[in-house]
Amino acid sequence: MQDVFKGAKNLGFGLMRLPLLDGNDDSKIDIETLKTMVDMFIERGFTYFDTAWMYCGFASESAIKEALVKRYPRDKFTLATKLHSGFINVQEDMDKVFDAQREKTGVEFFDYYLIHDVNAHSIETYDRLDAWSWLINKKKEGLVKNIGFSFHDSPELLEKVLKEHPQMEFVQLQINYLDYDSPAIKSRENYMLAEKYDKPVIVMEPIKGGTLINVSDQVKKLFEEANPDASIASWAVRFAASHKNVKMVLSGMNKIEDMDNNTAYMKNFSPLTEKEKELVFKAADIMNKEIAIPCTGCSYCTEGCPKKIAIPKYFALYNAEMKQNPDGKLGWTPQMGYYANISKDFGKAGDCIKCRKCEKICPQHLEITEFLKTVADRFE
């Protein structure tokens, strides 16, 4: 089949987590810092930018218009965005979202367009509205150059989608060394299916929302002894990029330092050796014993929460709490203070009414309501 990523470098700028002016409002993006990051990305030879309708409180697409589209010729970058099932109820909604996306980003066409977060729940909407044919028609009209889908579910469902929709040209999968053999995520099995059906792969969550950067001292020592010059992030991104059918690895970068680091080692990319692969799996074994709640911080769960609970923030605090104070014997920890501060502006974990809207949209299939109860028991 035609390689839809021919000539593309293998690092993409994921625009789900961006530099912010207000840490409590994902829509308040620091445009000037983003411009500096975009410039560095392009100057170092990279071109792929990945956004979506609801990223950064629905502000990501508009931000990339200001930081990229208005400032560079159209042939200097490739732009990907997505259609999410949570915002479409009738067929006309798909065109409304698509047209709004073109206006928000300022482009006439998208280089890559994805049916987003295909899973056991969302596929019912996509099939009912025949989003697959709709997307194929967008390509025929010249409004999209390459079509595909992102996926968060079982290998069985992935194979069903690949069989039924062979026109899809690529698939976006969650691949990182922590999830590779996870019984819930099944990254390895999903990757092998994409390879079986000869579909190029884009990787999302290579560092699992920062989890594979903010590692314990034990894991950090493991990597530093192997290569003191390599950043912690580089082990995770290189692991994902080392798969032969992976054409693009998306990295969410919200600091100039992140951009500088990632583009530096990916500009002259070298795959992991077999010995290095053994090392990252050893790190995964250690980390799987340390992480209490395997949340990536994507924030999909927060948009529809009727109680406006800051779910990812609370889970991150709980994970930090379990590292510092696992038995609860300390009378006070910084996490307790942060929890009190955050809960002034957002609902508390204990406010959860168990509507489970969050669980239906969670890409990691977490039992969020049960974890919120655990968080409330600790911090409230």
Side-chain angles (χ1 to χ4, degrees), residues 23-26 295 297 299 310-318 342 346:
N24 287 324
D25 188 344
D26 290 343
C295 170
S299 293
I311 298 169
K313 296 179 187 291
Y314 293 159
F315 286 175
L317 288 178
Y318 185 79
I342 294 171
F346 298 93

Side-chain angles (χ1 to χ4, degrees), residues 126-137:
Y126 293 134
D127 287 349
R128 176 172 60 83
L129 301 180
D130 196 10
W132 313 98
S133 295
W134 171 85
L135 184 52
I136 291 168
N137 286 332

Side-chain angles (χ1 to χ4, degrees), residues 88-111:
I88 53 175
N89 294 304
V90 295
Q91 286 189 331
E92 291 77 11
D93 289 342
M94 295 188 288
D95 279 332
K96 288 179 181 177
V97 169
F98 188 86
D99 292 342
Q101 287 175 309
R102 285 205 297 161
E103 183 176 350
K104 285 173 70 179
T105 57
V107 298
E108 289 296 317
F109 67 90
F110 295 107
D111 301 277

Side-chain angles (χ1 to χ4, degrees), residues 69-129:
V69 177
K70 285 184 175 181
R71 301 172 62 240
Y72 283 91
R74 188 63 181 87
D75 60 355
K76 293 295 184 181
F77 64 88
T78 52
L79 184 62
T81 194
K82 312 174 187 78
L83 178 77
H84 195 287
S85 64
F87 306 99
I88 53 175
N89 294 304
V90 295
Q91 286 189 331
E92 291 77 11
D93 289 342
M94 295 188 288
D95 279 332
K96 288 179 181 177
V97 169
F98 188 86
D99 292 342
Q101 287 175 309
R102 285 205 297 161
E103 183 176 350
K104 285 173 70 179
T105 57
V107 298
E108 289 296 317
F109 67 90
F110 295 107
D111 301 277
Y112 301 88
Y113 199 91
L114 295 83
I115 293 176
H116 193 29
D117 189 17
V118 175
N119 60 57
H121 300 290
S122 67
I123 198 168
E124 295 177 1
T125 298
Y126 293 134
D127 287 349
R128 176 172 60 83
L129 301 180

Side-chain angles (χ1 to χ4, degrees), residues 175 179-181 185-193 281:
I175 298 176
D179 292 327
Y180 207 56
D181 293 308
I185 308 299
K186 298 186 177 180
S187 291
R188 184 197 297 267
E189 292 180 51
N190 283 333
Y191 169 75
M192 291 176 66
L193 271 173
F281 286 131

Side-chain angles (χ1 to χ4, degrees), residues 301-326:
C301 55
T302 59
E303 295 298 337
C305 178
K307 294 296 183 178
K308 297 183 178 179
I309 300 171
I311 298 169
K313 296 179 187 291
Y314 293 159
F315 286 175
L317 288 178
Y318 185 79
N319 284 336
E321 179 77 1
M322 288 301 99
K323 288 182 180 180
Q324 181 182 3
N325 187 28

